[in-house]
Amino acid sequence: MNDIQTRRQEYRLLFKQNVAKRLFVDKIVRIIVFSCVIIAIIPLGSILVEVFKNGITAISIEFLTETPGSIGSGEGGIGPAIQGTLIIIGLSSLIGVPIGVMSGIFLSEYGDNKLAKSIRFFNDVFMEFPSIILGIFAFLIIVLVLGHFSVWAGAFALSLIMFPIVARTTEESLKMVPMTYREAGTALGLKKWIITFRIVISAAKSGMITGILLSVSRIGGETAPLIMTILGSSQFFSSMDTPMDALPLRIWRLSLLPYDSAQLQGWGAALVLIMIILGINLGVRYYFSNKKNLFFGKFIKQRRNTIK
């Protein structure tokens, strides 16, 4: 056996040892990651099981549609709270989502300056604000000025919680789009805003939707800002300038009552809130999954028609 063959055998042995070591490390990392996922899922799963087990017995048509009965009677339902939750989530999204999305676009596509750095810093600080502080802020500038609790104040407070989350996720989603997309658009002679709104946003759509749904889930469970703004009511929605009920407020009030029937209704309201948030998430994802390449597809179709 000559020297060349000996070296080849040595190289093969070193290669096998190196590959075996990497495969072993890969298995260890996989086990650690899988264990962390299980640890994270167990508390979430136990909460869902507990809420479903205790809340399903309270669910009925009357419970979902009627106004609350007298305290401790176990009669009535959470109809006004369900209606109020849907109204407050929709109105907050109308205010918070456009502001958050446009802020994220600015920070990602036009954010290489001092102004953007300042906005990014205050946006990060804003995300860490306790929700009760934002509720007090809305109380001071809207409720005290108008002289009454209102739906506007609640939507404003929740939109303040919403838009920093949407802005951050939008910025990060747009940054993940490869630069070659922008370069290809520039090479075609497209203006920057067309590249941003027709190509980059289309490519980052999934991440942006995830951020919006996360913010909806966050505001759907907020209670403290609503205490300071919409206060709560036992009647269905009548106008934007009157107090209104919402599921987090109803759950909080029912949990404070020392009656088994009230506790049972609280579990039922919690289950309904989870189902509403889950329904919004699944509905939005299903809609956009069936509208794949909505904007980019139209853009390509228009360009093809132009070329023809």
Side-chain angles (χ1 to χ4, degrees):
M1 183 179 296
N2 55 31
D3 292 340
I4 296 176
Q5 290 177 336
T6 303
R7 288 182 180 179
R8 284 179 177 174
Q9 288 182 351
E10 290 177 353
Y11 289 147
R12 289 194 187 100
L13 180 61
L14 288 174
F15 179 75
K16 288 180 180 178
Q17 291 176 349
N18 191 16
V19 169
K21 183 179 177 181
R22 290 185 180 187
L23 291 175
F24 177 74
V25 173
D26 185 64
K27 287 181 180 178
I28 296 295
V29 172
R30 284 188 181 187
I31 292 172
I32 293 173
V33 170
F34 185 73
S35 302
C36 291
V37 171
I38 296 298
I39 293 172
I41 288 177
I42 288 175
L44 176 63
S46 62
I47 291 171
L48 292 176
V49 170
E50 194 71 16
V51 172
F52 184 82
K53 184 177 67 177
N54 293 293
I56 191 65
T57 55
I59 303 298
S60 66
I61 297 298
E62 293 77 16
F63 180 72
L64 298 176
T65 57
E66 292 185 356
T67 57
S70 57
I71 297 176
S73 65
E75 298 175 348
I78 57 172
I82 296 174
Q83 183 193 45
T85 298
L86 296 175
I87 291 173
I88 202 73
I89 288 177
L91 194 57
S92 302
S93 300
L94 286 177
I95 300 172
V97 171
I99 297 175
V101 169
M102 297 306 290
S103 300
I105 292 172
F106 173 76
L107 294 175
S108 173
E109 304 302 315
Y110 305 92
D112 190 17
N113 50 62
K114 291 183 179 179
L115 175 62
K117 290 180 181 177
S118 301
I119 294 174
R120 193 176 290 111
F121 172 75
F122 285 109
N123 190 62
D124 292 340
V125 174
F126 219 64
M127 287 180 67
E128 305 299 329
F129 265 34
S131 59
I132 184 65
I133 301 299
L134 300 176
I136 294 173
F137 179 65
F139 176 81
L140 292 175
I141 66 170
I142 297 181
V143 177
L144 286 185
V145 171
L146 297 179
H148 51 76
F149 294 95
S150 67
V151 182
W152 292 116
F156 174 71
L158 294 186
S159 66
L160 293 179
I161 299 171
M162 196 172 195
F163 85 79
I165 302 173
V166 177
R168 168 57 73 183
T169 52
T170 299
E171 180 187 3
E172 296 301 325
S173 300
L174 294 178
K175 283 182 176 177
M176 292 178 67
V177 177
M179 189 58 67
T180 51
Y181 282 41
R182 298 171 177 83
E183 293 173 351
T186 304
L188 290 173
L190 301 176
K191 295 180 180 178
K192 186 170 183 178
W193 70 270
I194 295 178
I195 297 171
T196 300
F197 284 91
R198 291 294 185 89
I199 300 176
V200 179
I201 288 180
S202 179
K205 186 172 59 180
S206 298
M208 295 169 64
I209 292 171
T210 299
I212 293 171
L213 293 177
L214 284 174
S215 65
V216 169
S217 302
R218 167 78 186 277
I219 66 170
E222 287 290 345
T223 305
L226 300 182
I227 297 173
M228 306 298 298
T229 52
I230 67 172
L231 187 62
S233 171
S234 60
Q235 302 300 319
F236 283 100
F237 171 79
S238 57
S239 74
M240 299 296 288
D241 295 325
T242 58
M244 185 180 71
D245 204 2
L247 282 171
L249 282 175
R250 181 57 51 187
I251 295 169
W252 174 64
R253 289 203 166 89
L254 289 172
S255 67
L256 297 178
L257 297 176
Y259 305 105
D260 291 339
S261 57
Q263 302 285 335
L264 181 62
Q265 287 187 331
W267 283 110
L271 178 59
V272 171
L273 179 60
I274 290 174
M275 297 306 294
I276 288 176
I277 298 300
L278 185 62
I280 292 174
N281 273 267
L282 294 178
V284 172
R285 289 187 183 280
Y286 177 77
Y287 175 79
F288 280 99
S289 65
N290 286 330
K291 295 289 183 180
K292 192 173 183 180
N293 294 325
L294 176 67
F295 302 105
F296 196 40
K298 286 184 177 179
F299 171 72
I300 292 175
K301 189 175 180 180
Q302 289 174 358
R303 298 296 294 181
R304 284 176 178 173
N305 292 334
T306 304
I307 293 172
K308 289 178 180 178

